[in-house]
Every structure is written in C-alpha cells, then in structure tokens.
Amino acid sequence: MKKYVCLFAFMIFALIACEGPEGPAGESLSLETYYYTVNSRDWQPIGEAGELTFYQYIADLDIGNYIYEQGDVSVFMFLTDNNNEVQAPLPYSIPHTDGGIRWTEHYTFDFDQGTVSFYADYLRGELPPTQEFRVVLTW
C-alpha cells in the first residue's frame, strides 16, 4: 500500500511541477486576399512576332516593404475539375492533347512592392483564355 501512496504522490507532484507562468504571446498572423480576373483580351504578348510568345498581365498590388521583405505572397488559379471548382497553386501546368498534338499551358507569377504579374506560356498561337486568380498575402 505504501508503494501506491508514494506512486500517487509522485504523479501529483509531477503534474503540479509542470505548471508555470504563461509565456509571452507569440507572433500573430495577418492575412489579406485579393481576387483578379484576367480576361483573354487583357493578356499582353512578350517577345517579338514569330518567336515563342509568353503573355503577361500586370495588376496593382501594394504590398509594402515589410511584406516584400518578411512576408509571403501566394497565388492560386481557379480551375474546373469534374464540374467542381478547384484552386491550383502557381506555378501550374496544364497538359493537353488536341488531335494527337501535345501541348501545355503554364502559368506563373512574380511581384514587387507595387504590382503582381501573371504569366501564361500558351503555345496555341492564340491568346490564353480568361483566368481567375486569388492572391494571398501573409505576414
């Protein structure tokens, strides 16, 4: 019986000893989300005629120095998969087969303190389709 009393006393002591003053509050997380629709006609070609052409769309996005240096910018593209809307993180590639010809759409982005640029590598000899993007700033 003495063993059980000692064991019980030790367990209570161990549980009480684990308590202490609350530590300092951790850093909080801040988040902002922006939505952009890039219409097919709004994509601007990059490169000379006859060259492999990439397309760009530049949008205003004031992220400030702190977010640029310390934060994170993530971009997602809205897609439809089996009649369900999904979001794909950029960069993202979409492989296609059209009449035996294989080609790929490729989307990416970059940003600075005043803009976010979306890029489409669309090898069909036509403008990329209208795309919707979600930009998430985290700091």
Side-chain angles (χ1 to χ4, degrees), residues 1-127:
M1 179 73 172
K2 228 179 186 181
K3 281 197 256 182
Y4 293 117
V5 172
C6 287
L7 183 60
F8 183 70
F10 177 74
M11 287 177 34
I12 290 176
F13 176 73
L15 292 174
I16 294 172
C18 292
E19 291 184 20
E22 187 175 319
E27 293 184 30
S28 64
L29 178 70
S30 295
L31 185 77
E32 283 188 43
T33 303
Y34 299 88
Y35 295 89
Y36 296 93
T37 298
V38 181
N39 293 307
S40 182
R41 68 181 177 276
D42 296 333
W43 289 104
Q44 298 297 313
I46 300 172
E48 299 296 323
E51 292 181 357
L52 180 65
T53 304
F54 298 90
Y55 296 90
Q56 176 184 43
Y57 178 81
I58 301 172
D60 291 335
L61 180 65
D62 185 13
I63 65 171
N65 190 51
Y66 182 78
I67 297 172
Y68 184 79
E69 296 290 335
Q70 305 294 324
D72 182 45
V73 176
S74 300
V75 177
F76 302 86
M77 182 170 72
F78 290 93
L79 300 169
T80 302
D81 184 22
N82 295 326
N83 294 324
N84 294 317
E85 182 178 84
V86 297
Q87 295 183 46
L90 297 188
Y92 191 74
S93 295
I94 305 169
H96 296 279
T97 302
D98 187 10
I101 298 171
R102 297 177 66 173
W103 60 283
T104 302
E105 292 177 61
H106 183 74
Y107 295 88
T108 189
F109 75 101
D110 65 22
F111 63 93
D112 61 26
Q113 293 185 24
T115 62
V116 59
S117 296
F118 306 103
Y119 298 94
D121 179 356
Y122 196 76
L123 303 177
R124 293 281 305 204
E126 57 194 49
L127 290 171

